[in-house]
Amino acid sequence: MSRSFGQRLWSSLQERGPLCVGIDPSPALLAAWGLPDTPEGLERFSRTVVEAVGDLVAVVKPQSAFFERHGSRGIAVLETVLAELRRRGTVVVLDAKRGDIGSTTAAYADAYLDRSSPLSADAVTVTPYLGFGSLQPMIDKAAEHDAGLFVLARTSNPEGAGVQLAVAADGRTVGGTILDEVAALNRGAAPLGSLGVVLGATLTGLAADVAGLNGPVLAPGVGAQGADPAGLRRTFGTAATVVPSVSRGLLARGPGVADLREGARRLIDECAEALS
């Protein structure tokens, strides 16, 4: 039988340590690496990151937008990146933050979660702000293909608080209702549910909110956004399975493979110590 996403992620975290590395080939990073802002530069950048960390870190997270901006040739690069990461046995989370309703949501699910799709990943980031129920086609497709979702709950951008901390009629915040919905769907899964949440690592005081989640917490913001490994346990407590995510803070060390690999090893050790 196939293992669920939660089982695969748990195994990868145990084997490789708690770190997710983003592949974010922004124009600024391409320029810093001396690469052109073209599909060729995009491919060179992405292949370098995969070579450096693809067999080292537990999770790699390509940011779809930076590939999409190059059109069909950029999407072709993304397809090769996803295939190479799968070949290396790396857990892949595609950072696409998709969210819609009905047949459109179902089409996104087919694109990113159906194993026959060239854009399929182990998990995809999704937004629930058209109502948590709008995610049902993705939830169903993830279960069908032993894939996962990371649902945006509390993000670190200042604008997010106006929506995510709004209080519903039952007294819960909107972000809190999302955490409750995910926890309910993960109930009884072992060792870890396949539905996770995105919570910014720069936030504070989330330990009580995630204690019963029984799913992974993807925590972007380590490095360039100001979060540091030492603060992870203060933010998320001891009950959550936290997957710290770093992008610019590590990628700025490129373009040398050895430098990227050394930086990733250091971050794995620091995050493991902070979360132990």
Side-chain angles (χ1 to χ4, degrees):
M1 293 179 62
S2 298
R3 295 189 301 163
S4 70
F5 170 70
Q7 291 168 330
R8 298 196 308 277
L9 177 61
W10 178 266
S11 295
S12 189
L13 293 170
Q14 302 310 304
E15 293 168 5
R16 299 187 178 189
L19 187 66
C20 168
V21 170
I23 302 182
D24 290 18
S26 67
L29 276 172
L30 290 172
W33 282 31
L35 296 172
D37 188 9
T38 63
E40 291 78 14
L42 176 75
E43 183 172 17
R44 178 71 178 274
F45 182 99
S46 302
R47 287 189 179 277
T48 299
V49 179
V50 171
E51 180 182 354
V53 305
D55 62 348
L56 178 64
V57 300
V59 183
V60 173
K61 180 172 66 67
Q63 169 50 258
S64 184
F66 291 123
F67 295 85
E68 293 173 33
R69 64 186 292 272
H70 292 276
S72 61
R73 294 175 66 191
I75 296 297
V77 173
L78 178 58
E79 290 177 0
T80 63
V81 168
L82 294 171
E84 179 61 21
L85 288 168
R86 285 194 295 268
R87 189 185 70 79
R88 291 171 180 254
T90 310
V91 171
V92 184
V93 175
L94 184 59
D95 195 356
K97 298 184 179 70
R98 296 297 193 254
D100 212 301
I101 59 173
S103 60
T104 308
T105 304
Y108 282 137
D110 288 337
Y112 301 125
L113 301 172
D114 189 319
R115 291 189 179 186
S116 67
S117 168
L119 287 172
S120 69
D122 291 284
V124 64
T125 59
V126 296
T127 176
Y129 290 105
L130 288 173
F132 193 87
S134 68
L135 297 178
Q136 196 61 51
M138 286 193 167
I139 294 169
D140 293 342
K141 185 66 69 170
E144 179 184 348
H145 290 278
D146 295 313
L149 301 177
F150 281 96
V151 185
L152 273 66
R154 289 280 312 281
T155 56
S156 56
N157 61 305
E159 305 87 352
V163 174
Q164 296 156 12
L165 294 181
V167 178
D170 62 4
R172 295 180 297 169
T173 64
V174 172
T177 65
I178 293 165
L179 292 170
D180 290 345
E181 294 274 10
V182 172
L185 291 169
N186 282 333
R187 192 167 294 128
L192 190 67
S194 293
L195 298 184
V197 295
V198 179
L199 294 169
T202 57
L203 302 173
T204 58
L206 297 174
D209 297 322
V210 298
L213 187 69
N214 193 31
V217 175
L218 184 64
V222 174
Q225 293 185 43
D228 64 276
L232 292 169
R233 193 51 86 193
R234 292 195 301 273
T235 295
F236 298 108
T238 59
T241 299
V242 181
V243 186
S245 182
V246 61
S247 296
R248 285 173 293 164
L250 174 64
L251 300 178
R253 296 175 65 101
V257 169
D259 291 333
L260 290 167
R261 197 169 179 85
E262 177 189 355
R265 287 189 186 278
R266 177 178 55 79
L267 281 168
I268 291 169
D269 290 343
E270 290 177 0
C271 291
E273 181 179 359
L275 294 169
S276 62

